[in-house]
Amino acid sequence: MTSKTSPHNGIPQLSAQIAPLLLVCALVFALPLILNNDFLLNKIARYLVLGILTVSLALSWGYGGILNLGQAMSFGIGSYAMAMALKLKTIPVHTGSGGLPDFMVWNNVAQLPWFWMPFKSLGFALVAGVLAPALVAAALGWFVFRSRVTGVYVSIITLATMVVLNLVIIDQQSYTGGFNGITDLAQLELFGVAFDAYGRATYYLVAGCVMLSLLVAFAFTHTKAGLVVQAIRDHESRVRYFGYDVAAYQIFVFALSAAIAGLAGMLYTIVMEFASPTFLGVQISLSVVVWCAVGGRQSLVGAFLGAVLVAGMQGALSESAAFLETWTLVMGALFVLVVLFLPKGLAGLAQGVWRAIAQRRQATQEVAGTVGQTREGSA
Amino acid sequence: MTRHLHLRDISVSFNGFKALDGLNMSVGKGELRCLIGPNGAGKTTALDIICGKVKPSAGSVSFDGVTLEDMEEHQIARVGVGRKFQVPSVFRDLTVAENLEVARARRPGVWANLRWDARRAGREDIERLAQLVGLAEQLEQSAAHLSHGQTQWLEIGMLVAQDAELILMDEPTAGMTAHETRKTAELFVRLKGRHTLVVVEHDMGFVKAIGDVISVMHLGQLLAEGTAAEVEAHPDVRRAYLGSGGITNA
Ligand SMILES: Nc1ncnc2c1ncn2[C@@H]1O[C@H](COP(=O)(O)OP(=O)(O)O)[C@@H](O)[C@H]1O
Ligand SMILES: [Mg+2]
């Protein structure tokens, strides 16, 4: 056996897989050094946040085989958790008596509703922004996966659940700000650092969370549990006969994915300076699916870059109004093309090219090696 | 011999058709039992009942005193039942090593498998297993790229990795060359004693090479039981195989 040269002990393989991830993180951190434009950095931070959201989908869809069409629901919950806390911190000019949010005053709400109370604590909001989406996902997953719902039905249920929550938020205007969302927020302040949406601190906060999300997702996919989740994706029923409780693994990856999406949602509120029901809308939820497919759903870095590149492209092109209308068409076409010709997305393409180069290099080395040997032999 | 595995009066019907019709069968601990019978006799369904894939409409299954028929598939697996399917079922997008690793389910819970050290420990075991089933060179290859025979071997390796006390094999040598079949027979003989095996097989040569006791099924019932010679001489068995070219060509 050739265990010396092949990556049988798993270590070289692991470092080869984590290298692109660290490289991307380094680039994200280095960007402000060469880009001295706060407006542009804010825009890029937005795309990075959408990248985190797409990584969360890659985890459930690419690794777990669960196509969550309501991924933006977790994103929205995180976003509202952050917005509620920051709304309660706004200076009294913008709020009613006793710190009551302005839109509640306009809607004749006399007292802060009970579910707003805990958000007076920023610590609670930060935990809730990650934990609440995870718990909602776990509860939904418990019903869905325990009753062995699979495939397209899971997608429909997740999409429907998100639409319902979206409608409830719009409908309950006096408690949620309704269609307008929650605006006029205070700046986040943590450990004496103020996170201005257009400041470097916010950019680095986002960059740090990019790295954190990628590393957590990477770590999970490389545990045995992550492997079992991939086995479930390949052949769900077979996994059961090895003694694994399939539903438990599906609920876990579904909830982990929701937690990361919740983190992205919180950051989105900071970068955008408001929360809106559109954050948990169908449009963004479907966009995430396209970004994930374009980048490569079975690659965390691929999914991340897919989002940053496609969303960035959209941002750049949307300066011209004529193009904005055709954008939906472009997105649709892109999705169809990728599904047909690049089932593993850009990441799959990159891997293929990389492998071809490596093989070629190996082949030339082998030729050089034999030439060297024959020379030695004749000498 | 103690009643290690016991099926009592099992009946199953699919849309009114009785695939199993009062099946009774016992297998002792450490035994290698071959299960034969003409096509459609209900052999696969019998294995499905044991591993929980199909629930019986009547009757009960007990394994080491544990009643199986009301348990979920993963719970049945956890009490020590492993299953190889007629159509080889492996994880095609995972490598050979990863397939074996999934099968090696010592601690099947989610939390236990989130630990980083959970994977390294089994590596040597997996390399040894791959060698056992002749896939040492393919360890890092995706299972989708294996030949049919290799896929059969991989699934057999996965069952050894699972280390279940009771192993159910459904036509394990289908698609194998004569040489591969012989190797499989050797492996099964080695496994017997430490594991209890129930093997569904068509190839009588293979059955004779591995089996002590042979159970013959017909029309969802147990028709006869005994050594190869006894079974072949049994008048009911001869009648059941009539028209299908005799027992050897079933
Ligand atoms: N899921 C099913 N639905 C309907 N009929 C089935 C199903 N599974 C098995 N059968 C029928 O039950 C009978 C027994 O099948 P099976 O156990 O596969 O036989 P064997 O493995 O002995 O060839 C066959 O007639 C088959 O057509
Ligand atoms: Mg069969």
Side-chain angles (χ1 to χ4, degrees):
Chain A
M1 229 177 65
T2 55
S3 57
K4 260 173 272 165
T5 49
S6 60
H8 278 186
N9 54 13
I11 296 166
Q13 214 184 359
L14 195 69
S15 58
Q17 282 170 2
I18 203 168
L21 192 155
L22 294 177
L23 181 70
V24 165
C25 289
L27 286 175
V28 168
F29 272 104
L31 198 63
L33 301 177
I34 50 166
L35 194 70
N36 205 353
N37 179 334
D38 290 343
F39 178 75
L40 216 54
L41 278 181
N42 169 268
K43 239 180 166 180
I44 291 169
R46 226 181 87 201
Y47 306 141
L48 297 180
V49 171
L50 295 174
I52 299 177
L53 176 60
T54 310
V55 168
S56 77
L57 183 69
L59 210 50
S60 75
W61 184 27
Y63 286 85
I66 305 162
L67 175 51
N68 185 350
L69 288 183
Q71 192 71 2
M73 180 168 84
S74 307
F75 186 68
I77 295 174
S79 158
Y80 271 85
M82 179 55 84
M84 284 161 82
L86 295 182
K87 186 72 189 168
L88 293 179
K89 293 218 179 311
T90 44
I91 41 172
V93 177
H94 294 302
T95 59
S97 57
L100 202 62
D102 47 11
F103 66 84
M104 288 190 191
V105 179
W106 303 330
N107 285 288
N108 300 320
V109 176
Q111 207 187 349
L112 197 66
W114 60 269
F115 64 89
W116 272 77
M117 290 291 187
F119 287 91
K120 285 181 173 173
S121 151
L122 183 62
F124 174 87
L126 293 180
V127 173
V130 173
L131 221 52
L135 290 177
V136 170
L140 184 64
W142 195 87
F143 284 109
V144 170
F145 301 124
R146 284 274 166 232
S147 31
R148 298 200 180 171
V149 176
T150 52
V152 68
Y153 298 101
V154 179
S155 305
I156 293 168
I157 290 171
T158 51
L159 184 66
T161 312
M162 181 185 71
V163 169
V164 168
L165 183 64
N166 182 285
L167 291 178
V168 168
I169 289 176
I170 293 175
D171 182 64
Q172 296 295 310
Q173 189 174 4
S174 40
Y175 303 118
T176 62
F179 193 74
N180 301 321
I182 304 178
T183 53
D184 281 323
L185 305 179
Q187 262 176 23
L188 173 70
E189 258 182 67
L190 269 181
F191 310 114
V193 181
F195 292 94
D196 176 0
Y198 292 89
R200 291 288 157 104
T202 298
Y203 182 88
Y204 285 118
L205 176 68
V206 170
C209 288
V210 165
M211 183 147 164
L212 178 74
S213 315
L214 281 172
L215 285 179
V216 166
F218 182 87
F220 171 72
T221 57
H222 284 78
T223 61
K224 173 93 178 259
L227 187 63
V228 173
V229 161
Q230 293 172 67
I232 292 171
R233 172 199 65 201
D234 276 11
H235 202 324
E236 179 176 328
S237 63
R238 186 71 187 93
V239 179
R240 294 203 172 92
Y241 301 105
F242 290 118
Y244 298 103
D245 182 356
V246 164
Y249 281 85
Q250 289 175 316
I251 292 169
F252 184 87
V253 72
F254 199 55
L256 178 63
S257 160
I260 295 175
L263 174 70
M266 287 201 288
L267 294 169
Y268 208 57
T269 292
I270 298 169
V271 172
M272 301 292 283
E273 298 179 294
F274 69 100
S276 151
T278 57
F279 292 1
L280 54 157
V282 174
Q283 169 123 36
I284 188 162
S285 227
L286 295 185
S287 296
V288 177
V289 174
V290 177
W291 298 332
C292 199
V294 169
R297 63 193 151 108
Q298 288 185 21
S299 157
L300 299 168
V301 175
F304 173 76
L305 289 178
V308 174
L309 294 178
V310 179
M313 204 158 71
Q314 178 181 7
L317 294 173
S318 65
E319 317 271 283
S320 76
F323 199 83
L324 200 57
E325 284 172 14
T326 51
W327 180 254
T328 321
L329 212 65
V330 173
M331 285 281 274
L334 198 60
F335 185 65
V336 172
L337 285 176
V338 165
V339 167
L340 285 180
F341 299 110
L342 280 180
K344 292 199 166 174
L346 295 176
L349 185 68
Q351 273 160 10
V353 170
W354 180 257
R355 212 168 295 137
I357 293 173
Q359 267 169 11
R360 202 152 164 188
R361 194 185 297 159
Q362 202 178 0
T364 46
Q365 264 169 8
E366 268 163 25
V367 170
T370 41
V371 169
Q373 270 166 15
T374 42
R375 274 213 195 118
E376 264 166 47
S378 60
Chain B
M1 220 177 280
T2 54
R3 279 181 169 183
H4 185 49
L5 171 71
H6 185 49
L7 282 75
R8 196 165 47 88
D9 292 328
I10 298 286
S11 292
V12 181
S13 33
F14 296 111
N15 314 317
F17 170 76
K18 280 209 156 183
L20 293 181
D21 188 10
L23 173 68
N24 283 286
M25 192 170 85
S26 293
V27 181
K29 197 174 175 71
E31 195 183 327
L32 199 176
R33 174 72 59 91
C34 284
L35 193 56
I36 63 170
N39 256 327
K43 305 176 297 288
T44 297
T45 309
L47 299 193
D48 285 347
I49 290 285
I50 301 169
C51 73
K53 189 179 179 208
V54 171
K55 296 290 167 199
S57 45
S60 74
V61 187
S62 69
F63 173 64
D64 262 347
V66 183
T67 308
L68 297 187
E69 75 267 12
D70 295 324
M71 292 165 72
E72 285 195 54
E73 297 97 314
H74 72 270
Q75 293 169 322
I76 295 175
R78 286 182 194 184
V79 299
V81 178
R83 165 78 187 266
K84 190 204 162 300
F85 290 87
Q86 191 166 351
V87 178
S89 304
V90 300
F91 307 112
R92 295 171 55 83
D93 274 1
L94 304 188
T95 65
V96 168
E98 288 169 337
N99 268 278
L100 291 168
E101 201 180 337
V102 170
R104 212 176 153 277
R106 297 290 174 277
R107 293 175 302 173
V110 178
W111 302 106
N113 285 319
L114 285 174
R115 297 166 42 139
W116 264 101
D117 55 352
R119 294 189 68 175
R120 289 291 162 82
R123 189 66 204 187
E124 273 178 23
D125 221 20
I126 283 165
E127 287 179 6
R128 199 177 41 72
L129 276 164
Q131 216 132 32
L132 179 74
V133 293
L135 293 172
E137 296 301 318
Q138 283 81 15
L139 260 181
E140 305 304 328
Q141 229 179 64
S142 144
H145 297 144
L146 298 179
S147 72
H148 188 79
Q150 284 176 321
T151 313
Q152 292 276 42
W153 268 107
L154 175 57
E155 201 180 1
I156 292 170
M158 287 163 79
L159 278 155
V160 179
Q162 185 182 3
D163 200 25
E165 207 181 334
L166 170 66
I167 298 177
L168 311 170
M169 298 270 188
D170 203 350
E171 306 199 11
T173 66
M176 283 188 182
T177 62
H179 174 69
E180 286 172 328
T181 304
R182 204 162 49 245
K183 266 175 66 187
T184 310
E186 282 165 19
L187 174 64
F188 284 13
V189 170
R190 251 185 6 211
L191 290 176
K192 123 173 130 177
R194 212 155 50 78
H195 303 265
T196 308
L197 285 96
V198 177
V199 181
V200 170
E201 196 45 75
H202 274 295
D203 181 344
M204 273 312 278
F206 182 79
V207 169
K208 283 176 186 164
I210 64 167
D212 322 311
V213 179
I214 296 167
S215 297
V216 187
M217 280 184 70
H218 183 47
L219 301 176
Q221 292 180 327
L222 189 68
L223 190 63
E225 217 164 67
T227 62
E230 283 168 4
V231 161
E232 274 174 327
H234 200 289
D236 288 345
V237 175
R238 285 169 168 273
R239 215 168 304 131
Y241 276 98
L242 212 68
S244 62
I247 195 165
T248 22
N249 296 316

